[in-house]
Amino acid sequence: MRVLIAAVGRLKQGPERELADRYRKRAADFGRKVGLQAFDIVEIKESRADNLERRMLEESIAIANVIPDRAISVILDERGSTMNSAAFAGRLQDWRAADRPAVVFILGGADGLAPSLRDKAELALAFGAFTWPHQLVRIMLLEQLYRAVTILGGHPYHRE
């Protein structure tokens, strides 16, 4: 199964980009050991439309165009469900076992996602009730993906 992060906006060169790249590489290296072939990031250009609904729609269409057929889609949203790292690893394991080609984690733009894309998501996931900068959300997601694959690979988890 492929893991794809579709994110509106791009990380500029700097410490955030370096940290995101480090966790993506770690997740990809360890992920191969547990049946995850790739950890890819697709950066979606931010819409410049004047109208809020139009911006959300344009960005959501661009995201929808990179989601593979039969993929599991997960949106990151402050109103979504929270879970601990072990539960997240279990969810990733279930998705892998379901023989789906990919799981796509969707990070919308500053204005959010169009309802048409939100409604198609199989899971809305939150990193708490705080509002987080998109750069940090991407890093936290990559870190949790790395943590999940290490848990699935039998690496000792300090919370157990």
Side-chain angles (χ1 to χ4, degrees):
M1 183 174 73
R2 176 179 174 213
V3 176
L4 175 66
I5 297 173
V8 174
R10 58 183 290 275
L11 286 181
K12 296 181 177 103
Q13 293 300 321
E16 295 89 356
R17 173 64 125 206
E18 292 169 15
L19 192 55
D21 288 344
R22 185 180 327 155
Y23 278 118
R24 190 207 58 76
K25 184 178 182 330
R26 285 180 179 178
D29 290 347
F30 210 99
R32 282 189 289 277
K33 297 174 185 175
V34 296
L36 301 171
Q37 292 93 12
F39 283 76
D40 298 318
I41 299 171
V42 175
E43 294 180 327
I44 305 295
K45 186 176 178 179
E46 295 175 66
S47 170
R48 298 289 179 217
D50 293 333
N51 177 291
L52 170 83
E53 286 80 21
R54 184 74 185 163
R55 278 193 305 273
M56 289 184 349
L57 182 62
E58 287 177 0
E59 291 169 355
S60 294
I61 289 170
I63 291 168
N65 285 333
V66 301
I67 299 174
D69 290 338
R70 297 185 44 247
I72 295 153
S73 61
V74 178
I75 60 170
L76 277 83
D77 186 292
E78 64 190 11
R79 297 161 292 199
S81 302
T82 60
M83 62 181 71
N84 65 29
S85 297
F88 182 66
R91 187 69 67 102
L92 194 59
Q93 183 176 28
D94 292 344
W95 291 331
R96 185 191 62 199
D99 198 31
R100 302 280 286 273
V103 57
V104 181
F105 293 92
I106 300 168
L107 286 75
D111 298 313
L113 298 167
S116 57
L117 186 59
R118 289 180 53 80
D119 294 344
K120 291 180 183 174
E122 294 185 35
L123 175 66
L125 186 61
F127 288 136
F130 288 118
T131 300
W132 296 100
H134 284 104
Q135 302 93 324
L136 289 181
V137 170
R138 189 185 308 193
I139 293 166
M140 292 188 305
L141 174 61
L142 286 162
E143 191 280 336
Q144 284 301 302
L145 286 165
Y146 168 67
R147 186 178 301 266
V149 297
T150 61
I151 291 169
L152 294 177
H155 191 273
Y157 181 53
H158 75 282
R159 295 289 181 199
E160 292 180 347

